[in-house]
Amino acid sequence: MWLPPAAWAPATGNLTVGAGAAITATASLTNTATATSTDATDTTKALVDNNVVQGINLNNLTVGNGASINAGASSVQTASASTIEDASGTVGNSSSAIVGGNDFVFGIDSTNLTAGGSTSLLQAAAALTGTATASNVNGASTAEAGLGAGVGGAVR
């Protein structure tokens, strides 16, 4: 059984609409983090952490006949970390770039959906795009993208 992270915002609210309703819900985040240092005294770290991106997150969504529901969520994340240490032979401090770690992106999440007959469209989509780059002249570097992430059009 899938369980949400502790910081997850629970579904709240109810929405009821009549016949022929058109619902479009879109959540979109784009974030960039950049960290650069010269002779750093500690780790140089660039982190993007969007945790949760959701198009629809309700207790209940009820639509009448001929309804159209289109829900989407996207998260685009870029992180770049760079450390320039002197080339004296002493290993320098590390650099780290992290994106999409334990992030959850869902078009429709935790929603009980009730639809009348002839529902013309039910579409849920999600996308997580991450780029992490870490470089270091004289030490370790780590780049992580999407570790522990969950992405889905609809879940429950």
Side-chain angles (χ1 to χ4, degrees), residues 3 10 23 40 55 58 84 96 102 108 115 130:
L3 295 173
I23 299 170
L58 298 167
I84 301 171
S96 174
N102 294 311
I108 299 175

Side-chain angles (χ1 to χ4, degrees), residues 37 132 150:
S37 66

Side-chain angles (χ1 to χ4, degrees), residues 19-100:
I23 299 170
T24 300
T26 304
S28 179
L29 292 175
T30 300
N31 303 98
T32 300
T34 303
T36 304
S37 66
T38 302
D39 287 331
T41 58
D42 203 349
T43 298
T44 301
K45 184 175 185 179
L47 169 69
V48 177
D49 189 13
N50 285 339
N51 284 338
V52 180
V53 182
Q54 304 162 324
I56 295 175
N57 185 19
L58 298 167
N59 289 322
N60 297 290
L61 174 58
T62 305
V63 297
N65 292 334
S68 169
I69 302 169
N70 186 1
S74 71
S75 179
V76 177
Q77 304 176 24
T78 304
S80 176
S82 175
T83 302
I84 301 171
E85 299 285 346
D86 58 43
S88 65
T90 303
V91 175
N93 289 299
S94 63
S95 63
S96 174
I98 302 169
V99 297

Side-chain angles (χ1 to χ4, degrees), residues 2-12 50-58 102-111 148-152 155-156:
W2 178 83
L3 295 173
W8 198 272
T12 58
N50 285 339
N51 284 338
V52 180
V53 182
Q54 304 162 324
I56 295 175
N57 185 19
L58 298 167
N102 294 311
D103 287 0
F104 295 89
V105 183
F106 298 113
I108 299 175
D109 184 36
S110 301
T111 301
V151 179
V155 296
R156 181 128 191 210

